[in-house]
Amino acid sequence: MGTKTKSDNHSHIIYDSIQSMVDSARSKAFDSISITEHISQFAEPRDKIEFGSVHTKGRIFSNIEEYLLEFRNIPTKIPTVNKGLEVDYIRRVSQEIAKYVNERGWDVLLLSVHELSDGIDVEDTSRPQDKESSERRWVQYIELQKEGLQNDLIPFDVLTHPVRLGRSSHKLPGNLDELLIELAEVARKEDRALELNGNDLTRDYKLVEKLAQACSAGGCKVSFGSDAHHPSEVGRGYEKALELVNRYGLKQLTLPQR
Ligand SMILES: [Zn+2]
Ligand SMILES: [Zn+2]
C-alpha cells in the first residue's frame, strides 16, 4: 500500500481459482497479492479442532502440499504472489495449530481472532444486544487480540480485521478509542501490523477509521487486506485504506523476504 508498492495482503481461494484472483489483482494494478487461506479449510486441523467460526461451503484442502501445488501453476512475475495462511488464534488449541502451520515457511502469515473464549463466532448476531453484554464482549475481544499479538507460537505478520466484532456487537464501550490504542501499542511492541480490512472498510468504515486513528496514536504499522473471497473483491477498500494511511501518517507493513 502507498506510493511504492500496491499490495493486497489478504485473500482466499476456496470459491474461485488462484489464477482468477491473481488476474484480478493484475488488472487492478497491484504489485503483490497474498493468498492467505484459512487454517480451518485444511482437512487435518478441521477434523481435529472444533473451530467456532468456519465456512460451511468452499474448498477443503486435504493438506498443505495440495495447497502449495496451487502456487506452482501461476506463471507470473507481476503481481508477486505471496504464499500465506490466515491462522485462528484460539488459546486452548494454539500449540496444535502452530505445529501444523510451522511445518512450512510462509511469505506471510495472518493471525485472526474469529471467536471469543466461549467459542462463539465474533460475527454471531444472535448474542444479547443490551449495552452491558455488547460492551463486555468488546473488552474481552480486545484483550484476546492483545494476547494473540503477544504469542510467539507462529511468526505472523498481521493481526486481521481487529474491529470485526462490530458485526455482532453494535453498542461500543465509551472507552473504545483507548482500548484500540492499547491494542496498537501492543502491536508496535511486538512488531506486528494491524489490518485495515477491505471488507470492514466497505461495511463499517467508521470503526476502521477509529482503528486507523489508534494505529497513529499507538505507533503501529498497518497492512491492507481486501479479504477477497472472489475475484471481484480483490483490492476492495484499497482507496479508502490509502486515504486513511495518508491522513493519519500511518506506517505500512513491508513483508520480509523469506
Ligand atoms: Zn478472518
Ligand atoms: Zn480472511
Side-chain angles (χ1 to χ4, degrees):
M1 175 162 49
T3 48
K4 278 178 292 180
T5 57
K6 185 174 173 183
S7 302
D8 184 340
N9 295 330
H10 183 168
S11 68
H12 298 279
I13 54 167
I14 57 169
Y15 300 126
D16 287 286
S17 72
I18 187 168
Q19 187 68 62
S20 66
M21 301 301 274
V22 172
D23 287 346
S24 176
R26 186 185 305 106
S27 75
K28 293 167 186 174
F30 277 87
D31 300 299
S32 75
I33 178 170
S34 296
I35 308 295
T36 53
E37 207 39 76
H38 289 120
I39 193 71
S40 56
Q41 293 298 122
F42 291 80
E44 193 193 317
R46 178 120 162 185
D47 290 346
K48 289 209 301 212
I49 294 165
E50 206 183 307
F51 292 95
S53 165
V54 288
H55 284 285
T56 51
K57 293 181 289 181
R59 180 170 173 182
I60 299 282
F61 294 91
S62 45
N63 51 43
I64 288 174
E65 286 70 29
E66 184 190 313
Y67 178 58
L68 291 176
L69 274 176
E70 293 289 317
F71 293 84
R72 207 177 290 175
N73 301 318
I74 301 299
T76 166
K77 283 238 181 301
I78 299 170
T80 302
V81 181
N82 298 315
K83 299 183 184 74
L85 290 175
E86 177 176 2
V87 183
D88 288 76
Y89 178 67
I90 307 171
R91 186 192 300 145
R92 65 191 150 79
V93 286
S94 51
Q95 308 264 6
E96 239 174 297
I97 290 176
K99 206 168 154 243
Y100 195 74
V101 171
N102 290 335
E103 276 177 28
R104 300 300 176 108
W106 301 95
D107 299 320
V108 57
L109 286 173
L110 312 180
L111 192 79
S112 302
V113 173
H114 288 130
E115 56 190 87
L116 296 179
S117 41
D118 54 9
I120 295 175
D121 191 336
V122 298
E123 297 187 45
D124 184 343
T125 51
S126 70
R127 289 161 168 258
Q129 289 302 327
D130 61 284
K131 188 168 165 55
E132 202 190 315
S133 310
S134 177
E135 290 187 2
R136 201 182 317 120
R137 285 195 296 275
W138 270 103
V139 171
Q140 201 205 3
Y141 180 55
I142 303 289
E143 275 309 310
L144 210 49
Q145 292 191 106
K146 279 157 62 177
E147 182 185 303
L149 281 170
Q150 288 169 314
N151 99 84
D152 284 325
L153 292 171
I154 63 163
F156 66 99
D157 307 283
V158 181
L159 178 74
T160 62
H161 44 65
V163 292
R164 180 59 59 86
L165 185 70
R167 298 287 167 80
S168 71
S169 306
H170 309 293
K171 303 208 172 61
L172 309 176
N175 65 339
L176 181 61
D177 291 337
E178 287 93 278
L179 295 176
L180 289 174
I181 291 172
E182 284 175 26
L183 184 71
E185 284 171 344
V186 174
R188 175 177 48 77
K189 280 194 204 106
E190 301 295 333
D191 197 27
R192 320 277 198 200
L194 297 185
E195 184 181 65
L196 302 178
N197 182 278
N199 192 353
D200 293 343
L201 275 162
T202 49
R203 290 172 64 164
D204 228 338
Y205 179 78
K206 284 267 174 253
L207 264 178
V208 182
E209 186 182 28
K210 272 182 185 295
L211 175 68
Q213 285 173 295
C215 291
S216 176
C220 73
K221 289 176 288 188
V222 295
S223 167
F224 169 73
S226 67
D227 208 349
H229 285 68
H230 300 285
S232 62
E233 295 168 347
V234 171
R236 72 174 149 186
Y238 178 77
E239 296 304 325
K240 289 187 174 83
L242 189 59
E243 197 273 319
L244 289 171
V245 163
N246 291 331
R247 185 169 4 133
Y248 295 110
L250 302 175
K251 288 172 286 187
Q252 299 157 54
L253 172 75
T254 34
L255 290 171
Q257 296 296 316
R258 289 185 178 134

